Amino acid sequence: MTAVPGTQQPLTDLEDFRREVRAFLAANLSPALAERVKAGFYLDKPELDRWQRALHARGWAGTNWPPEHGGPGWTPMQKYVFEDECAQAGAPILIMMGLNQVAALLMAAGTEDQKRRHLPRILDGSDLWCQGLSEPNSGSDLASLKCPAWREGDEYVVDGSKIWTTAAHWANWCFLLVRTSSDGPKQEGITILLLDMKTPGITIRPIIGLDGMHSLNQLFLDKVRIPVSCRVGEEGRGWPLMKYFLGHERISAAGIWKCKAHFARLTKIARETRRDGRPLIENPRFRDRMAWLEIRMRALEVILLSIIGDSAKAKGAEGALLKLRGTELQQEMLAMMSEACGPYAVPFHPEVLRSGWTGEHVGPEFAATATPFYLFWRKSTISGGSSEIMRNVIAQNLYP
Amino acid sequence: MTGLDLRVELSPEQRMLQDAAARYLEKAYGFQERQAIVAAGSDGDAGKWRDFAQMGWLGLPLPESDGGNGGSALDLFLLAQAFGKALAVEPYLSTVVLGAMTVAAAGNAAQRARILPGVIAGRTRLAFGCTEPESGYALLDVQTRARASGDGFVLTGDKSVVLGAASADHLLISARTAGARDSRLGISLFLVDRTAPGVTLRPYGTIDGRRAAEVKLQEVRVGRDALLGELHGAAARIEHAQALGIVTLLGEAVGCLEGALACTVEYHRNRHQFGKPLSSFQALRHRVADLYVAKEETRALCLLAAHAHAAGEPGAAQALAGAKAWVGQAGRHAAEEAVQLHGAIAITDEYVVGHYLKRIIAIDRLFGDTGTALDRYIELGRAADA
């Protein structure tokens, strides 16, 4: 029997698992919703919540979670198969801050009380988490964050601002990095707090993206009081904990499964779009670029599979490579979908993207979302560690 | 690209082969020594060739029934990777990969017994003459003719850029025995003694330090026993040899990029400018990071292709074409970057990095360059979709 590298998991089991995932998707994902997801339409919170409930009912909400916390206890290869199938099918993409980073952090460093209070509600979707990491002046130098917090009795008082907070307007909890001390190196004096978004003193300013849509926010925290019991780890020792989890994001940010889904869509569009009297895919320049994209995508998938389950490599040069190139590939594919729109890339109708919009679109159907989607995802090489930071990580590994 | 298992894992034996090859070549095939071998103008070094034989490399991919080790195309790839990093110039590709593997696949028992033991022992060398002055990369475009005569054949025609021809004992020559110039049917392969009357060679060095020759065949008489494989039916043999040749070249290309990255990192660590090591300049660090990325992508694609070819997967031909195209484009760009990142020293013959670029260029121009390979990649993708 052939074994999967690193996991010794028989391939036949994995194929059975793939069939199980497909059966679940066929039973739970409506074709209309899947089409909207593939086309890049935004889903509203009730739609995302419904999907999480469906996953949770099947025991599949926390793909990274171990069984003792209610997760499926999947191997890295199972998780990969699951993500791959979900992307191909057009399953909604959940907001993962709670399910991934916050949950992993709480499992590793939370108090028993914190775990009991938060983990079940993250898993079943009762709580949606956002993350208050970046600040207007911190940029790629995350550890330079300044948002001050000081202790008053059994509470911390936080007085500052956080930015690029995805879904803050939907979230009921926020995972917050604050500065409790400015003595010593910048990496010291950072503390992790869990903030209930109903706490008085929080103002949310929507940030409208290039796509005309609202998913990002700036948070203003005006003397917001957070109980000491909501601190994770020791005071001033938040950075080492954070650093441990930051690297893990990279492989998922690389989104090989996303690339594959985008490429399938691009292929469909290039076949169906006629330009200069022939299908776009017959245009030698367009066709060659698609071939290169496919080849580059394959390289990344081979690299991903060769390090899957190896967390040292995932956080090292290999993980940085995957994030760097995976995001570039996604962007190039989205750019080509926009190019395929021709002049219909020009009309701008953000209202079309909103959930529940039923009007008639201008031009071919895919044109409604292709260009806004392309514009929105310019962020992928900037957020989660910019491409420049990824190159720094790689160079750091080359010159140890 | 469908029909591919993307999980490539090396066996313990394959890791041992890799280690042994890397250890030997690091010790015995330093760049200075390599340059001396090239300067000597012979086709590789006789002592090294004997070492290769002793380590079992000359029989590595040959069937056990012919006295070889029965290794796979992936084994061959791994050995070639070490050759590429060392920039080895011995005629391994021509003798073992293109020559002996074709004899093993197409030859009858007598031919195999006559040729293969000598190859494995390091006594016999072969060359594969299947390109012609006007064929470009189309190996089935054959103008050389072989006409039946008495108990054998008479061959006339020109073969171009035949690697290892001058040191070869036997040349494998493709010739048209029937059909039009580019017809798939009607090509036959012949074993021709390099010293046979009517064979003339114009030997030369190649840009990457190997030896090759233009081969002229004028009314060369060979016996019936010189026919290798089926009369008129050599096209598939030639294509198979080409595929295995590409696997080998892909291995070399990966080794070249590994070498180019290693020497660039080393150079930037030691070279000081403006009072600081080059490795402290972020503009340079990022370009070296990109070099690393290109090396890893190249390795992934080439390893995948070799693995798929070895396993006989349906997507193997397309994977080979994709990797070949990639090496010519991204691989070449990476090697050019390695040169640029060194500065002036890199454009001298005495420093190693430019030789990696030269080898990559040679690899691109053998068996189909970037454009040819990309066309094939697209064509095979369409065929798979249909």
Side-chain angles (χ1 to χ4, degrees):
Chain A
M1 204 182 282
T2 329
V4 174
T7 62
Q8 298 308 308
Q9 189 176 20
L11 273 179
T12 46
D13 286 5
L14 212 52
E15 284 314 304
D16 288 345
F17 175 70
R18 192 182 285 278
R19 273 191 291 277
E20 237 182 284
V21 175
R22 283 187 183 163
F24 168 82
L25 290 167
N28 290 278
L29 181 63
S30 81
L33 179 62
E35 261 320 298
R36 285 180 48 225
V37 172
K38 286 186 193 174
F41 284 99
Y42 288 72
L43 302 188
D44 56 20
K45 187 163 183 299
E47 283 175 304
L48 292 175
D49 288 345
R50 257 199 305 283
W51 184 245
Q52 185 165 349
R53 279 199 297 276
L55 288 173
H56 182 247
R58 184 69 176 77
W60 289 354
T63 52
N64 289 323
W65 292 34
E68 64 263 34
H69 290 296
W74 283 338
T75 62
M77 271 312 290
Q78 279 178 304
K79 193 174 163 260
Y80 172 79
V81 166
F82 176 76
E83 286 176 341
D84 194 30
E85 288 297 327
C86 283
Q88 277 183 47
I93 298 164
L94 298 177
I95 294 165
M96 300 299 284
M97 279 83 158
L99 285 164
N100 283 349
Q101 286 93 314
V102 178
L105 181 79
L106 288 178
M107 285 176 204
T111 63
E112 285 312 308
D113 188 52
Q114 286 167 343
K115 289 186 214 176
R116 247 194 323 273
R117 180 172 179 194
H118 295 296
L119 290 177
R121 292 178 59 82
I122 290 174
L123 194 62
D124 68 14
S126 309
D127 287 342
L128 182 71
W129 285 71
C130 61
Q131 53 186 16
L133 307 181
S134 283
E135 295 177 11
N137 292 316
S138 66
S140 283
D141 183 8
L142 182 57
S144 72
L145 63 92
K146 291 202 165 56
C147 182
W150 60 91
R151 181 98 180 239
E152 284 183 10
D154 282 345
E155 290 176 326
Y156 283 100
V157 183
V158 185
D159 196 53
S161 178
K162 291 287 173 181
I163 198 165
W164 316 128
T165 312
T166 299
H169 52 305
W170 287 349
N172 41 351
W173 280 87
C174 177
F175 165 82
L176 199 60
L177 286 189
V178 295
R179 180 160 297 284
T180 42
S181 162
S182 302
D183 308 332
K186 64 185 176 184
Q187 287 84 359
E188 287 169 24
I190 294 174
T191 300
I192 299 176
L193 298 175
L194 308 177
L195 166 64
D196 184 337
M197 292 296 280
K198 290 191 302 288
T199 314
I202 304 173
T203 311
I204 300 174
R205 177 178 79 89
I207 299 174
I208 304 303
L210 291 180
D211 56 351
M213 298 293 286
H214 171 206
S215 65
L216 298 170
N217 302 277
Q218 182 169 6
L219 294 184
F220 296 96
L221 306 171
D222 181 14
K223 300 213 170 46
V224 169
R225 304 187 86 84
I226 301 176
V228 170
S229 62
C230 288
R231 187 187 70 212
V232 182
E234 292 170 43
E235 181 176 306
R237 301 289 301 149
W239 184 251
L241 277 176
M242 249 340 271
K243 232 186 136 193
Y244 179 75
F245 292 102
L246 282 178
H248 281 295
E249 273 187 85
R250 287 183 198 140
I251 287 198
S252 41
I256 306 299
W257 41 274
K258 231 188 240 179
C259 288
K260 287 168 77 177
H262 286 341
F263 190 79
R265 184 166 167 80
L266 174 62
T267 305
K268 184 169 178 282
I269 289 171
R271 282 198 184 120
E272 289 169 0
T273 302
R274 289 190 73 80
R275 183 74 32 84
D276 304 325
R278 61 185 167 190
L280 189 52
I281 203 164
E282 301 294 329
N283 177 306
R285 285 175 299 283
F286 203 84
R287 186 203 61 193
D288 283 6
R289 286 165 66 199
M290 284 186 63
W292 285 123
L293 285 173
E294 191 182 32
I295 292 169
R296 291 167 64 191
M297 177 169 77
R298 198 63 66 188
L300 288 196
E301 197 172 8
V302 171
I303 295 170
L304 173 71
L305 288 169
S306 73
I307 67 159
I308 206 161
D310 183 336
S311 68
K313 285 187 173 171
K315 284 198 283 179
E318 288 88 348
L321 177 166
L322 288 170
K323 201 274 175 182
L324 173 69
R325 279 288 191 264
T327 49
E328 284 174 358
L329 277 183
Q330 290 168 40
Q331 290 183 338
E332 180 63 14
M333 290 173 185
L334 295 172
M336 288 179 75
M337 288 187 224
S338 169
E339 286 173 45
C341 299
Y344 281 116
V346 177
F348 183 52
H349 297 292
E351 68 278 7
V352 176
L353 300 177
R354 282 180 205 125
S355 208
W357 189 83
T358 53
E360 202 176 323
H361 49 77
V362 175
E365 197 176 358
F366 75 88
T369 52
T371 305
F373 207 30
Y374 151 77
L375 289 166
F376 177 78
W377 285 106
R378 296 315 296 170
K379 83 172 196 134
S380 61
T381 47
I382 299 171
S383 64
S386 67
S387 294
E388 289 67 30
I389 294 292
M390 293 306 108
R391 288 188 174 91
N392 283 353
V393 170
I394 293 168
Q396 198 62 51
N397 277 269
L398 291 172
Y399 304 104
Chain B
M1 228 188 288
T2 48
L4 286 179
D5 184 356
L6 302 181
R7 287 162 297 200
V8 183
E9 210 181 17
L10 301 182
S11 67
E13 294 74 22
Q14 284 168 333
R15 291 193 186 282
M16 275 166 58
L17 169 67
Q18 258 186 328
D19 290 348
R23 253 201 323 276
Y24 168 79
L25 289 161
E26 262 165 42
K27 199 169 97 219
Y29 218 101
F31 179 63
Q32 296 314 324
E33 188 155 2
R34 185 260 187 193
Q35 289 302 78
I37 296 170
V38 174
S42 55
D43 206 341
D45 179 72
K48 302 282 183 278
W49 197 249
R50 273 194 301 276
D51 292 346
F52 291 5
Q54 254 166 28
M55 282 180 291
W57 293 349
L58 299 183
L60 178 74
L62 288 164
E64 286 173 351
S65 53
D66 288 315
N69 293 343
S72 70
L74 186 53
D75 297 335
L76 190 60
F77 173 89
L78 297 172
L79 180 60
Q81 195 177 334
F83 285 154
K85 190 166 184 195
L87 290 162
V89 295
E90 280 62 29
Y92 190 89
L93 175 64
S94 51
T95 295
V96 178
V97 180
L98 303 173
M101 287 298 282
T102 304
V103 171
N108 58 36
Q111 288 166 328
R112 294 205 309 274
R114 182 156 68 91
I115 306 277
L116 298 179
V119 168
I120 293 167
R123 292 188 310 271
T124 307
R125 297 190 187 193
L126 307 172
F128 187 75
C130 287
T131 49
E132 300 190 347
E134 291 177 31
S135 68
Y137 298 120
L139 296 193
L140 304 187
D141 175 358
V142 180
Q143 297 191 69
T144 297
R145 307 205 70 91
R147 64 168 203 276
S149 163
D151 199 25
F153 299 88
V154 176
L155 280 69
T156 296
D158 296 311
K159 296 293 172 182
S160 61
V161 200
V162 182
L163 290 171
S167 68
D169 300 285
H170 311 282
L171 309 173
L172 280 73
I173 298 291
S174 62
R176 193 153 282 293
T177 42
R181 174 175 156 181
D182 58 352
S183 145
R184 194 179 162 77
L185 257 180
I187 303 169
S188 307
L189 270 176
F190 296 92
L191 271 166
V192 179
D193 279 1
R194 196 244 308 155
T195 53
V199 177
T200 37
L201 265 58
R202 189 189 158 193
Y204 44 80
T206 65
I207 53 159
D208 62 331
R210 302 190 226 234
R211 303 287 302 170
E214 300 295 288
V215 177
K216 199 169 199 53
L217 302 126
Q218 207 149 22
E219 296 285 308
V220 178
R221 290 192 167 274
V222 296
R224 185 92 206 155
D225 61 352
L227 176 67
L228 194 56
E230 235 180 291
L231 185 68
H232 308 322
R237 302 289 184 201
I238 293 170
E239 284 167 344
H240 195 78
Q242 167 169 264
L244 205 58
I246 290 175
V247 167
T248 309
L249 291 176
L250 295 178
E252 288 193 18
V254 173
C256 283
L257 292 191
E258 286 171 345
L261 174 67
C263 72
T264 306
V265 167
E266 188 62 22
Y267 190 75
H268 280 209
R269 218 198 287 276
N270 297 324
R271 171 89 169 164
H272 284 66
Q273 296 271 273
F274 306 104
K276 289 188 289 189
L278 291 181
S279 62
S280 64
F281 293 88
Q282 193 184 38
L284 299 179
R285 289 170 73 89
H286 280 193
R287 286 170 70 180
V288 175
D290 284 334
L291 190 53
Y292 161 84
V293 171
K295 185 265 284 180
E296 285 297 313
E297 289 174 314
T298 306
R299 200 181 78 90
L301 286 168
C302 294
L303 190 63
L304 174 72
H307 175 258
H309 183 78
E313 288 176 13
Q318 202 199 6
L320 274 182
K324 188 71 173 60
W326 176 267
V327 162
Q329 172 132 323
R332 187 180 94 186
H333 177 71
E336 288 166 349
E337 278 288 280
V339 166
Q340 177 68 25
L341 287 164
H342 277 78
I345 186 73
I347 58 166
T348 66
D349 187 60
E350 68 202 43
Y351 188 76
V352 64
V353 75
H355 294 276
Y356 287 122
L357 174 60
K358 288 167 105 179
R359 176 61 57 93
I360 290 279
I361 295 295
I363 289 169
D364 182 52
R365 304 307 140 74
L366 292 170
F367 298 127
D369 63 8
T370 298
T372 309
L374 193 68
D375 280 346
R376 182 163 165 74
Y377 175 87
I378 289 165
E379 194 183 300
L380 289 168
R382 272 203 200 120
D385 284 344

